[in-house]
């Protein structure tokens, strides 16, 4: 009971110290509110209001049909320009696409000569340039086919593919971006808060005060783990209920309580990593540099950004030792596919085992750093 009381009181001290740190409070608030909204909405999932210019050198019925086929929301109304204005407009960033319809285009199409159109693309606008080229090709081919046949009806094929999209029927990127940003924020802030708390005590000299008190290194470390983990867990619950389900209207299929239970276990592992990093770094700038080396692989190679199956087999094997790999798999199964505990229990066990190992390593390092207490 004495150990539990010490861990509780030291944890309350950590919460009070965090409350007096406005920058950390701002980071938590931003990461689980504005950061999630930006991650979900900043990258449009489809082409949206892409500026396009058309050089109509044919002035025919077919060229007019092609020009009229570009309209919002995928494109802005086309700007009809001369051939000498294309390069200037692309250089100035006024257009992302510039389509040149050559002279005698309609006559060549009717004669079966297969004329070519020139499409100039501003490739510095990566997302729109990559998607827009395919859109424009489909629009032009559709208008030409309709002009030649008098209808846009396609030729029946012997085999028809029936496509059914599960878990995200509208293919909305905001559904994916919002949940993955929560997962990334949980990992990042749990490491930052615990590591910063330890470094802050070292810089302010309060660690020496703790050493002369009747508390053990285990109690000091456990207090930081539960206090900072609780803050991140509460912020995570706020983000799910308010930002994801409320503001962004993203449906959550599974049990939020089960997800938060898994997030709590994940926080046990990541806060231990934060303590371990805090014992290595001697200042906040050093901690920041070390954080980049640790956080980027945890986020990029855990299966959240790209499927693990597309990674080299060596990377897949190594990342099994990272708690984020199992946390991402568990979170996606619960929040996207509505999985229950009978499905995600292997991830729970893996996170518990990894967290116990990281906690033991961090505690051993912490004891060597501040000295073993009786």
């Amino acid at each position: 009971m004495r150990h539990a009381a010490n861990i509780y009181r030291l944890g309350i001290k950590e919460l009070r110290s965090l409350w007096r740190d406005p920058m950390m409070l701002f980071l938590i608030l931003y990461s689980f509110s504005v950061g999630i909204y930006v991650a979900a909405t900043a990258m449009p999932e489809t082409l949206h209001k892409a500026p396009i210019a058309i050089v109509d050198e044919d002035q025919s019925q077919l060229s007019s049909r092609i020009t009229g086929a570009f309209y919002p929301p995928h494109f802005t109304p086309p700007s009809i320009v001369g051939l000498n204005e294309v390069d200037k407009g692309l250089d100035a960033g006024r257009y992302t696409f510039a389509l040149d319809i050559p002279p005698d285009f309609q006559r060549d199409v009717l004669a079966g000569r297969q004329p070519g159109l020139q499409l100039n693309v501003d490739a510095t606008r990566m997302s729109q340039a990559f998607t827009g080229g395919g859109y424009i090709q489909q629009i032009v081919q559709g208008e030409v086919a309709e002009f030649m046949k008098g209808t846009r009806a396609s030729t029946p094929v012997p085999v028809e593919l029936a496509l059914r999209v599960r878990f995200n029927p509208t293919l909305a990127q905001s559904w994916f971006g919002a949940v993955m940003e929560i997962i990334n924020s949980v990992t990042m802030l749990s490491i930052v808060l615990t590591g910063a708390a330890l470094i802050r005590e070292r810089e302010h000299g309060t660690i020496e005060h703790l050493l002369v008190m009747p508390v053990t290194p285990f109690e000091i470390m456990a207090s930081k783990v539960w206090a900072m983990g609780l803050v991140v867990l509460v912020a995570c619950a706020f983000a799910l209920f308010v930002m994801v389900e409320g503001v962004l209207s993203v449906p959550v299929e599974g049990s939020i309580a089960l997800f938060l239970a898994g997030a709590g276990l994940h926080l046990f592992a990541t806060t231990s990593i934060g303590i371990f990093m805090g014992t290595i770094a001697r200042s906040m700038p050093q901690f920041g540099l070390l954080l980049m080396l640790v956080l980027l692989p945890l986020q990029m190679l855990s299966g959240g950004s790209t499927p693990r199956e597309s990674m080299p087999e060596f990377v897949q094997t190594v990342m099994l030792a990272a708690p984020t790999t199992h946390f991402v798999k568990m979170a996606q199964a619960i929040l996207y596919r509505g999985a229950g505990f009978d499905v995600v229990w292997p991830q729970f066990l893996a996170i518990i085992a990894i967290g116990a190992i990281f906690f033991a390593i961090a505690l051993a390092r912490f004891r060597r750093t501040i000295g073993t207490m009786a």
Side-chain angles (χ1 to χ4, degrees):
M1 293 299 296
R2 182 178 63 85
H3 291 296
N6 288 341
I7 293 173
Y8 171 76
R9 293 190 183 96
L10 289 172
I12 296 298
K13 177 190 74 69
E14 296 294 337
L15 294 177
R16 289 174 177 171
S17 178
L18 178 62
W19 181 254
R20 292 191 294 268
D21 192 336
M23 291 304 299
M24 284 297 179
L25 292 177
F26 174 78
L27 178 62
I28 297 171
L29 181 62
Y30 176 87
S31 299
F32 286 100
S33 57
V34 179
I36 293 173
Y37 184 84
V38 170
T41 60
M43 293 291 290
E45 60 270 14
T46 58
L47 197 67
H48 186 69
K49 292 185 179 180
I52 183 172
I54 295 180
V55 180
D56 189 356
E57 299 184 83
D58 190 32
Q59 298 294 324
S60 63
Q61 181 183 0
L62 179 55
S63 65
S64 298
R65 291 174 62 96
I66 293 175
T67 301
F70 297 96
Y71 47 82
H74 291 157
F75 298 92
T76 60
S79 301
I80 307 302
V81 300
L83 188 60
N84 60 338
E85 300 177 64
V86 172
D87 289 340
K88 295 179 182 178
L90 290 172
D91 292 342
R94 292 194 297 271
Y95 318 122
T96 301
F97 306 98
L99 181 65
D100 181 12
I101 304 176
D104 302 325
F105 175 69
Q106 178 176 306
R107 186 179 67 181
D108 292 340
V109 169
L110 293 174
R113 297 192 184 97
Q114 296 183 342
L117 284 77
Q118 184 184 74
L119 178 62
N120 299 278
V121 182
D122 180 3
T124 60
R125 301 175 179 180
M126 276 293 297
S127 59
Q128 289 192 340
F130 180 78
T131 308
Y135 271 67
I136 294 173
Q137 183 177 5
Q138 292 178 6
I139 290 173
V140 172
Q141 289 177 347
E143 292 299 326
V144 171
E146 184 177 358
F147 177 77
M148 294 294 291
K149 298 179 181 180
T151 177
R152 196 183 283 266
S154 58
T155 304
V157 294
V159 178
E160 183 178 356
L161 179 65
L163 180 64
R164 294 180 174 88
V165 181
R166 299 188 62 185
F167 313 124
N168 187 357
T170 61
L171 298 178
Q173 183 174 334
S174 60
W175 291 21
F176 175 81
V179 173
M180 290 312 304
E181 185 63 18
I182 289 181
I183 294 173
N184 291 336
S185 296
V186 166
T187 301
M188 177 191 71
L189 283 176
S190 57
I191 295 176
V192 169
L193 291 180
T194 49
L198 181 59
I199 294 175
R200 183 170 54 242
E201 285 193 341
R202 182 187 298 126
E203 291 179 343
H204 293 173
T206 53
I207 191 69
E208 286 79 6
H209 297 168
L210 293 176
L211 293 177
V212 298
M213 295 175 62
V215 293
T216 65
F218 172 82
E219 294 170 352
I220 297 174
M221 179 174 166
S223 66
K224 297 182 186 298
V225 168
W226 83 257
M228 298 300 104
L230 177 64
V231 170
V232 176
L233 193 63
V234 171
C236 176
F238 166 83
L240 277 174
F241 286 111
V242 177
M243 297 302 302
V244 174
E245 290 190 316
V247 177
L248 296 170
S249 300
V250 176
V252 175
E253 296 296 332
S255 169
I256 293 182
L258 181 62
F259 167 75
L260 292 177
L265 296 177
H266 177 66
L267 287 168
F268 173 63
T270 52
T271 50
S272 300
I273 295 175
I275 294 291
F276 178 76
M277 293 169 56
T279 61
I280 296 176
R282 296 299 176 183
S283 63
M284 283 303 296
Q286 289 184 7
F287 181 76
L289 293 174
L290 186 61
L291 180 66
M292 289 189 291
L293 297 176
V294 174
L295 191 61
L296 287 178
L298 288 179
Q299 293 183 348
M300 300 299 294
L301 303 178
S302 61
S305 301
T306 56
R308 295 187 66 248
E309 293 75 14
S310 63
M311 303 176 189
E313 187 174 350
F314 172 76
V315 175
Q316 295 184 42
T317 304
V318 170
M319 288 305 295
L320 289 176
T324 49
T325 300
H326 309 280
F327 181 53
V328 167
K329 187 174 182 179
M330 177 207 69
Q332 291 179 342
I334 295 174
L335 299 180
Y336 291 147
R337 299 187 287 273
F341 183 75
D342 59 324
V343 175
V344 299
W345 68 265
Q347 285 75 50
F348 272 69
L349 289 181
I351 294 174
I352 291 173
I354 295 172
I357 293 172
F358 276 120
F359 186 87
I361 294 174
L363 180 60
R365 172 72 186 181
F366 187 60
R367 280 173 172 161
R368 288 197 302 269
T369 302
I370 68 172
T372 304
M373 299 191 62

